[in-house]
Amino acid sequence: MKIEIKIDENCVDPKVLIVTDKVTDEINEIVKRLSGGQSQTIAGFQGGQVVVLEPEEIVRIYAANGKVYAEAEQGTYLLRLRLYEMEQRLANKSFVRISNGEIINLKKVKGFDLSFTGTICVSLSNGTVTYVSRRYVSRIRHLLGI
């Protein structure tokens, strides 16, 4: 494979052009990586083992007792990253912070209960019930269009 870079001072946004005789798996992988569509795996620790977690598997990420945990459908895993680092890492995914100590996956939400005064009750797909803190309520309402 040849790689060529052309410097053009008039170019505002970088542009990638792939010239090929046919679309192969290698070309598809390159396009996927360049478009940011690659899956970003996360290392979780459980019982002395390292488990690779895909962001789609994670229901919520929360802090407890000075540690950060990822709760997935198959169990709870200890993470070595801080909560704000996980928030940055998952920013372009379907994750949203609901309190100072918790981030949820919007694709794993069963429903929002707005009947509580000042907070929002969130039911997750694995049966966990959590709450949006008052500080983040307006952000969630805006995100949901309410």
Side-chain angles (χ1 to χ4, degrees), residues 65-114:
N65 303 323
K67 296 183 179 180
V68 177
Y69 298 93
E71 192 174 300
E73 298 288 345
Q74 58 272 26
T76 302
Y77 303 91
L78 177 66
L79 303 177
R80 294 251 171 106
L81 297 171
R82 296 180 184 265
L83 203 59
Y84 75 89
E85 292 172 322
M86 290 302 302
E87 184 179 24
Q88 290 170 352
R89 201 173 227 205
L90 300 168
N92 59 351
K93 306 275 190 261
S94 58
F95 288 82
V96 63
R97 187 180 279 256
I98 61 167
S99 70
N100 282 342
E102 190 168 3
I103 300 168
I104 61 169
N105 185 347
L106 288 174
K107 291 183 180 176
K108 300 289 184 176
V109 173
K110 282 172 82 176
F112 292 96
D113 186 356
L114 306 173

Side-chain angles (χ1 to χ4, degrees), residues 4-112:
E4 185 177 322
I5 299 175
K6 178 182 174 185
I7 306 293
D8 183 0
E9 295 171 2
N10 296 324
C11 181
V12 178
D13 292 327
K15 176 176 133 181
V16 176
L17 174 66
I18 300 173
V19 180
T20 183
D21 60 336
K22 61 182 175 187
V23 178
T24 62
D25 289 342
E26 182 182 25
I27 299 296
N28 285 331
E29 186 64 31
I30 291 168
V31 170
K32 188 176 177 183
R33 286 179 188 245
L34 289 172
S35 65
Q38 79 267 23
S39 176
Q40 193 169 23
T41 56
I42 296 162
F45 298 86
Q46 185 182 55
Q49 284 188 320
V50 178
V51 179
V52 176
L53 299 171
E54 295 291 331
E56 299 81 38
E57 299 172 349
I58 299 172
V59 177
R60 71 185 187 125
I61 299 167
Y62 64 96
N65 303 323
K67 296 183 179 180
V68 177
Y69 298 93
E71 192 174 300
E73 298 288 345
Q74 58 272 26
T76 302
Y77 303 91
L78 177 66
L79 303 177
R80 294 251 171 106
L81 297 171
R82 296 180 184 265
L83 203 59
Y84 75 89
E85 292 172 322
M86 290 302 302
E87 184 179 24
Q88 290 170 352
R89 201 173 227 205
L90 300 168
N92 59 351
K93 306 275 190 261
S94 58
F95 288 82
V96 63
R97 187 180 279 256
I98 61 167
S99 70
N100 282 342
E102 190 168 3
I103 300 168
I104 61 169
N105 185 347
L106 288 174
K107 291 183 180 176
K108 300 289 184 176
V109 173
K110 282 172 82 176
F112 292 96

